[in-house]
Amino acid sequence: MDHQPANLLLPSSPRTFGFFINGKVVEAGSRPYFERRSPGHGVAVTRIPKCTKDDLDLAVAAARRAFEDGRWSRIPSVERASVLLRAAQIIRRRAEEIALWETLENGKPISQARAEVDGCAGIFEYAAGAARALHGDAFNNLGDRLFGLVTREPIGVVGLITPWNFPFLILCERVPFILAAGCTIVAKPSEVTSATTLILAEVLTEAGLPAGCYNVVTGSGSTIGQAMTEHMDIDMLSFTGSTSVGRRCVQAATGNFKKLGLELGGKNPQIVFADADLEDAADGVAFGIGFNTGQCCVSGSRLIVERSVARAFEEMVAAKFAKIEVGDPLDPGTQVGAITTAAQNDTIMSYIEKGRAEGARLVCGGDQLDFGRGQYIAPTLFGDVTGDMSIARDEIFGPVLSIMPFDTVEEAIAIANDTVYGLAASVWTKNIDKALTVTRRVRAGRFWVNTTLAGGPELPLGGFKQSGWGREAGIYGVEEYTQIKSVHIELGKREPWVS
């Protein structure tokens, strides 16, 4: 394919953004900037302010005022739903613009970015319905003199830290549910992919969200992110990222015992039985590791294949890899784009070298691709992988797939569960007994049968083990940002205690 960049879509100069507090854009002033260069083209595309802890304090104070005065937390749910529905309409109207900035900063294929933005509008629409469906319970079983209610109340100010791999999608898997619950937000995007988080501020303001309910503070994780985890006036923190940083969030949150929602790392198995539709499975496996350039916490990076078909299936997957279109993210035909950061590019290549050094057999890929600009890695497949190898145990976060054979259902389950992670898994088989057995016994928060990376906002997201705490999306995703209150109502006059 033609790897020349779509020059007409590249900005002639980087766009300078301000951050967003209390319904207003705040210019950087004397603050320094991050300059973001497109990972697919090597040209500067955005300039993002490096905020300070004082900026964070102002944002949290704005969110606190907005929450406490009830401008959002105490209005009828139908009014909250109306704002979310208008936001969905605006996202669709601005979809091409949002997708372009997503691709320029992240390096993902433009076709993928467009699909994600459309899906994000759908998430807002779902959350609007969930806002109106949120409810408590009544207890009419306490005798004639006592009536009980359980109410759900918004938890308060939510700090939201999002990663660079799905800047807009992960943001939209959180924000509408947090708002549906009646909470207010202080968001901190990754410093390398901040544009679409700031654009969402424009969207929500136009949709009618009151000032102070959505604030964005940009900056590094070590400065702003750490300060958010420690902040005494943030009631809950939602963090998506690595397990190592999630562990630091747990430690920092003890200051005010803030609630945590954590979606962390994954080393996700794809189990393929000999009775599967192998052609379909091979395509699904290639998609599962190639989507978003493998920079996906739920990507299927461990391929566990029944031994009788392992070598034949390896050849099928390698053939699929050879046909994947890698190249310019702005080309609509590209399937695998650029690696988002130079540091991540180096990490992926270091794991490819570890795979070779530890004795795995390189089946295909393993190369740094040179298109004259940008960071690209060929989809890579390793065979003869054992469970003690680094490429089988560590989250690589790139297009690197390891094959391990099995002989029995029990062995497949054991290999799948032999990890500290438990985020996602897939199984490919035509046998319903095998499918259900594996689904019930593999420890993972999301599971796919004869598909992968499929779904919508109706089902919750989250992990087992060291892949995180809590759930996002679905009605569970609204409930996650509420707290429960038990109310006891005496009917009539209570019995005197002192006569």
Side-chain angles (χ1 to χ4, degrees):
M1 68 185 282
D2 182 5
H3 296 296
Q4 293 301 311
N7 290 319
L8 294 178
L9 295 177
L10 289 172
S12 58
S13 60
R15 176 178 171 181
T16 299
F17 285 86
F19 54 105
F20 192 82
I21 295 178
N22 201 31
K24 297 180 180 178
V25 176
V26 183
E27 302 300 333
S30 60
R31 299 169 187 81
Y33 283 93
F34 296 100
E35 184 174 85
R36 177 61 174 156
R37 304 184 77 81
S38 166
H41 311 96
V43 300
V45 290
T46 55
R47 297 173 75 232
I48 305 295
K50 294 183 179 180
C51 291
T52 66
K53 291 182 181 179
D54 289 341
D55 296 324
L56 174 63
D57 287 341
L58 289 173
V60 174
R64 175 58 60 193
R65 288 193 302 272
F67 180 76
E68 297 297 347
D69 68 18
R71 70 186 76 168
W72 184 253
S73 59
R74 295 201 296 271
I75 65 174
S77 62
V78 64
E79 295 181 25
R80 291 203 288 264
S82 295
V83 171
L84 297 176
L85 288 172
R86 286 195 293 271
Q89 294 171 350
I90 298 165
I91 289 170
R92 286 205 169 91
R93 191 183 76 222
R94 299 182 63 176
E96 191 63 25
E97 172 199 1
I98 295 170
L100 177 60
W101 287 111
E102 194 82 341
T103 291
L104 290 175
E105 285 197 322
N106 171 271
K108 68 177 65 201
I110 187 70
S111 57
Q112 178 187 323
R114 288 167 176 156
E116 288 174 10
V117 173
D118 183 68
C120 289
I123 296 172
F124 269 83
E125 290 165 342
Y126 175 86
R132 301 189 67 177
L134 189 65
H135 62 85
D137 292 297
F139 288 80
N140 197 35
N141 59 352
L142 305 177
D144 288 341
R145 302 290 298 276
L146 197 63
F147 185 70
L149 297 174
V150 174
T151 62
R152 284 193 174 272
E153 301 179 2
I155 200 165
V157 176
V158 177
L160 176 60
I161 301 176
T162 53
W164 47 255
N165 60 327
F166 290 96
F168 197 65
L169 177 61
I170 288 178
L171 182 73
C172 293
E173 287 176 341
R174 276 68 172 160
V175 166
F177 296 96
I178 298 170
L179 293 176
C183 299
T184 58
I185 300 170
V186 178
K188 192 211 86 68
S190 166
E191 59 268 29
V192 301
T193 53
S194 298
T196 53
T197 302
L198 291 161
I199 291 172
L200 185 63
E202 300 170 5
V203 169
L204 292 171
T205 299
E206 184 181 346
L209 184 71
C213 294
Y214 177 78
N215 308 273
V216 183
V217 182
T218 54
S220 68
S222 59
T223 300
I224 301 302
Q226 184 68 22
M228 286 181 72
T229 65
E230 297 171 350
H231 206 288
M232 297 297 287
D233 210 23
I234 289 177
D235 301 300
M236 179 174 174
L237 181 77
S238 173
F239 169 79
T240 305
S242 71
T243 295
S244 60
V245 177
R247 188 172 289 111
R248 294 204 296 273
C249 290
V250 173
Q251 295 165 347
T254 58
N256 70 339
F257 288 88
K258 61 172 60 67
K259 183 179 179 181
L260 293 175
L262 305 173
E263 185 175 350
L264 307 176
K267 192 66 177 174
N268 311 296
Q270 295 217 55
I271 302 171
V272 178
F273 285 93
D275 62 7
D277 180 332
L278 295 181
E279 180 64 30
D280 188 46
D283 187 77
V285 166
F287 170 69
I289 194 64
F291 182 71
N292 209 53
T293 324
Q295 299 171 132
C296 181
C297 56
V298 293
S299 68
S301 57
R302 289 188 299 147
L303 178 54
I304 304 168
V305 186
E306 193 163 358
R307 193 180 304 275
S308 62
V309 296
R311 184 53 65 96
F313 192 72
E314 174 188 293
E315 293 173 356
M316 295 172 72
V317 172
K320 293 287 185 182
F321 276 21
K323 295 179 181 179
I324 293 174
E325 293 286 4
V326 182
D328 185 352
L330 292 176
D331 187 322
T334 292
Q335 294 172 294
V336 170
I339 305 301
T340 302
T341 69
Q344 185 58 28
N345 184 89
D346 292 345
T347 295
I348 297 167
M349 292 305 299
S350 73
Y351 272 104
I352 290 172
E353 291 308 311
K354 284 181 184 178
R356 290 185 172 117
E358 292 177 0
R361 173 173 48 86
L362 182 64
V363 178
C364 63
D367 302 318
Q368 184 85 62
L369 301 179
D370 183 8
F371 298 145
R373 80 204 75 78
Q375 299 147 186
Y376 299 89
I377 295 176
T380 300
L381 179 62
F382 279 105
D384 299 337
V385 177
T386 57
D388 58 343
M389 292 181 180
S390 300
I391 57 172
R393 305 206 68 80
D394 299 345
E395 184 181 37
I396 299 172
F397 223 59
V400 180
L401 180 64
S402 299
I403 300 180
M404 293 175 281
F406 71 87
D407 292 301
T408 66
V409 173
E410 291 295 326
E411 187 181 4
I413 293 168
I415 295 171
N417 285 332
D418 184 22
T419 174
V420 299
Y421 300 110
L423 194 58
S426 300
V427 62
W428 303 81
T429 177
K430 294 179 181 178
N431 184 301
I432 189 66
D433 292 340
K434 290 177 185 176
L436 290 178
T437 297
V438 171
T439 300
R440 295 173 70 178
R441 292 181 54 193
V442 170
R443 301 194 65 199
R446 296 168 75 181
F447 214 101
W448 293 282
V449 178
N450 293 329
T451 189
T452 192
L453 308 189
E458 294 81 4
L459 272 67
L461 321 172
F464 289 12
K465 299 192 281 186
Q466 293 185 32
S467 287
W469 290 348
R471 292 295 181 269
E472 306 286 352
I475 193 65
Y476 308 91
V478 183
E479 293 175 349
E480 193 75 24
Y481 296 98
T482 66
Q483 50 194 351
I484 291 174
K485 178 180 287 183
S486 296
V487 181
H488 305 79
I489 303 171
E490 181 79 14
L491 305 178
K493 186 176 180 179
R494 59 179 295 277
E495 291 290 333
W497 185 57
V498 178
S499 59

